[in-house]
């Protein structure tokens, strides 16, 4: 599972692309800095674009689950 460069660190972009190289489905959970789930969904085709323009400035964590594999990414959103 890989993410575009906006996923690494600070972003002012409104969208983040997430791609699973083997095209299998995965589950994504977006969590804010206090541990609340902000968004949760499944990507059946192995690809999704996460719209983050509605989110407030701050630190967020993206949890991506693909079978037994779990990947975490930290992003900082600035406006």
């Amino acid at each position: 599972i890989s993410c575009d460069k906006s996923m690494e660190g600070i972003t002012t972009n409104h969208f983040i692309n997430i791609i699973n190289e083997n095209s299998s489905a995965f589950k994504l959970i977006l969590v804010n800095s206090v541990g609340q789930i902000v968004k949760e969904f499944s990507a059946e085709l192995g690809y999704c674009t996460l719209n983050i323009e509605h989110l407030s400035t701050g630190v967020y964590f993206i949890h991506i689950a693909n079978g037994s594999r779990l990947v975490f990414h930290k992003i900082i959103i600035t406006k």
Side-chain angles (χ1 to χ4, degrees), residues 4-7 11-18 47-53:
D4 63 16
K5 289 186 179 184
S6 66
M7 192 71 144
T11 183
T12 56
N13 295 337
H14 295 291
F15 299 95
I16 296 174
N17 295 313
I18 302 168
Y47 174 87
C48 73
T49 299
L50 179 61
N51 182 344
I52 59 171
E53 71 180 326

Side-chain angles (χ1 to χ4, degrees), residues 5 11 13-14 16 19 57 64 70 74-75:
K5 289 186 179 184
T11 183
N13 295 337
H14 295 291
I16 296 174
I19 302 168
T57 297
I64 304 168
L70 189 59
K74 175 183 172 182
I75 59 169

Side-chain angles (χ1 to χ4, degrees), residues 13-43:
N13 295 337
H14 295 291
F15 299 95
I16 296 174
N17 295 313
I18 302 168
I19 302 168
N20 188 352
E21 292 88 5
N22 65 11
S23 299
S24 63
F26 60 89
K27 183 175 182 178
L28 184 141
I29 302 171
L30 179 65
V31 179
N32 65 17
S33 60
V34 294
Q36 297 170 319
I37 295 176
V38 176
K39 192 167 192 165
E40 182 174 5
F41 64 92
S42 296

